């Protein structure tokens, strides 16, 4: 158990809908990272927040947005969903900013778009 | 641009066999290189890392050497165990961006 929690574990929805994925980082971690893992694209870095501020942006679509709240939990919002958005979405956290080697990954949220 | 290419899987080996998973990269500047492991049903865990050319990362019997001349970071283990069955991801960090390979699934049979 990494200490990072993600809810929900599974989400099934329809095209055109909007969903929100939630991540609670490990106690004391200030950075949150979001990743998308799909069969055709592999694992892609989406976005990172540090202490409430956006710090790095990867291959995140305009239909997707994220934020980190004062209590440090983070939400990833996916809108106008398409079939291709079906994937496993991971959240990771770390103490430091832009820290790769001590990122702790959550178990993921599996999104299925029908 | 930056990218990571790793060998296609799946890879199936017998216990105690030698493992190599190839990884090559394209990067501007001087990236840091990583191997992550994902066990079934879990998130990724850092396995090892190297931050500059000729560095060797090692952990749990796994090794990888940062080779700038061949832009490679191949993962090796001398004797695999059934418990090593997992998906392995090669990754690089360049500036504030992270790039991952597509993952290589390894199954070790007794």
């Amino acid at each position: 158990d990494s200490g990072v929690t993600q809810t929900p574990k599974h989400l099934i929805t329809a095209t055109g809908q909007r969903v929100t994925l939630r991540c609670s980082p490990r106690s004391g971690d200030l950075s949150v990272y979001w990743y998308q893992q799909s069969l055709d694209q592999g694992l892609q870095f989406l976005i990172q927040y540090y202490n409430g501020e956006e710090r790095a942006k990867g291959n995140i679509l305009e239909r997707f947005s994220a934020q980190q709240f004062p209590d440090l939990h983070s939400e990833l919002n996916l809108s106008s969903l398409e079939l291709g958005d079906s994937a496993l979405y991971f959240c990771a956290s770390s103490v430091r900013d832009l820290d790769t080697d001590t990122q702790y990954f959550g178990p993921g949220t599996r999104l299925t778009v029908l | 641009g930056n990218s990571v290419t790793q060998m296609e899987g799946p890879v199936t080996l017998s216990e105690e066999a030698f493992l190599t998973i190839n990884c090559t990269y394209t990067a501007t500047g001087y990236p840091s290189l990583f191997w992550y492991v994902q066990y079934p049903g879990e998130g990724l865990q850092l396995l090892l890392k190297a931050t500059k050319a000729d560095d060797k990362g090692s952990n749990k019997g796994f090794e990888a050497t940062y080779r700038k001349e061949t832009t490679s970071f191949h993962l090796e283990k001398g004797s695999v165990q059934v418990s090593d069955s997992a998906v392995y991801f090669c990754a690089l960090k360049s500036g504030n961006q992270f790039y991952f390979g597509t993952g290589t699934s390894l199954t070790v049979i007794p």
Side-chain angles (χ1 to χ4, degrees):
Chain A
D1 184 353
S2 66
V4 178
T5 59
Q6 290 186 247
T7 57
K9 271 187 91 108
H10 302 277
L11 198 47
I12 301 174
T13 188
T15 54
Q17 295 299 305
R18 173 190 166 95
V19 296
T20 297
L21 313 184
R22 183 188 167 103
C23 168
S24 293
R26 290 188 327 146
S27 177
D29 284 0
L30 299 178
S31 265
V32 169
Y33 310 74
W34 285 99
Y35 295 87
Q36 179 195 57
Q37 185 178 33
S38 60
L39 283 175
D40 55 343
Q41 303 261 15
L43 187 65
Q44 292 198 83
F45 166 65
L46 296 178
I47 198 164
Q48 181 238 346
Y49 283 81
Y50 178 76
N51 206 19
E53 288 188 20
E54 182 185 305
R55 295 287 290 151
K57 218 167 189 175
N59 292 326
I60 187 165
L61 300 171
E62 284 193 15
R63 300 184 285 109
F64 295 1
S65 65
Q67 53 184 324
Q68 186 180 27
F69 293 87
D71 68 352
L72 301 176
H73 90 271
S74 177
E75 293 181 355
L76 179 67
N77 300 296
L78 316 176
S79 61
S80 303
L81 285 168
E82 301 174 1
L83 295 177
D85 297 328
S86 295
L88 197 49
Y89 290 85
F90 285 108
C91 164
S93 73
S94 68
V95 173
R96 295 188 300 244
D97 192 10
L98 295 171
D99 195 340
T100 316
D101 53 334
T102 50
Q103 282 186 40
Y104 294 86
F105 280 76
T109 292
R110 183 169 293 283
L111 173 66
T112 303
V113 182
L114 300 174
Chain B
N2 298 310
S3 66
V4 176
T5 303
Q6 57 182 108
M7 66 185 274
E8 296 278 333
V11 173
T12 303
L13 293 173
S14 297
E15 208 165 20
E16 298 183 5
F18 185 85
L19 168 72
T20 300
I21 301 178
N22 290 337
C23 171
T24 56
Y25 67 90
T26 304
T28 53
Y30 303 95
S32 296
L33 301 174
F34 307 84
W35 276 100
Y36 282 83
V37 58
Q38 184 180 28
Y39 297 105
E42 298 182 15
L44 276 71
Q45 301 174 31
L46 178 70
L47 182 59
L48 53 84
K49 66 173 182 175
T51 56
K52 61 183 189 298
D54 299 325
D55 266 3
K56 178 188 277 189
S58 60
N59 185 26
K60 299 182 182 178
F62 291 90
E63 290 183 343
T65 301
Y66 189 146
R67 302 269 187 221
K68 198 162 187 287
E69 63 276 13
T70 54
T71 60
S72 64
F73 193 55
H74 304 321
L75 182 68
E76 296 181 337
K77 186 174 186 183
S79 175
V80 293
Q81 306 300 312
V82 172
S83 57
D84 293 327
S85 297
V87 180
Y88 292 81
F89 291 88
C90 185
L92 76 82
K93 178 185 172 189
S94 179
N96 65 355
Q97 294 294 312
F98 307 95
Y99 303 87
F100 287 79
T102 50
T104 301
S105 173
L106 169 67
T107 301
V108 180
I109 52 178

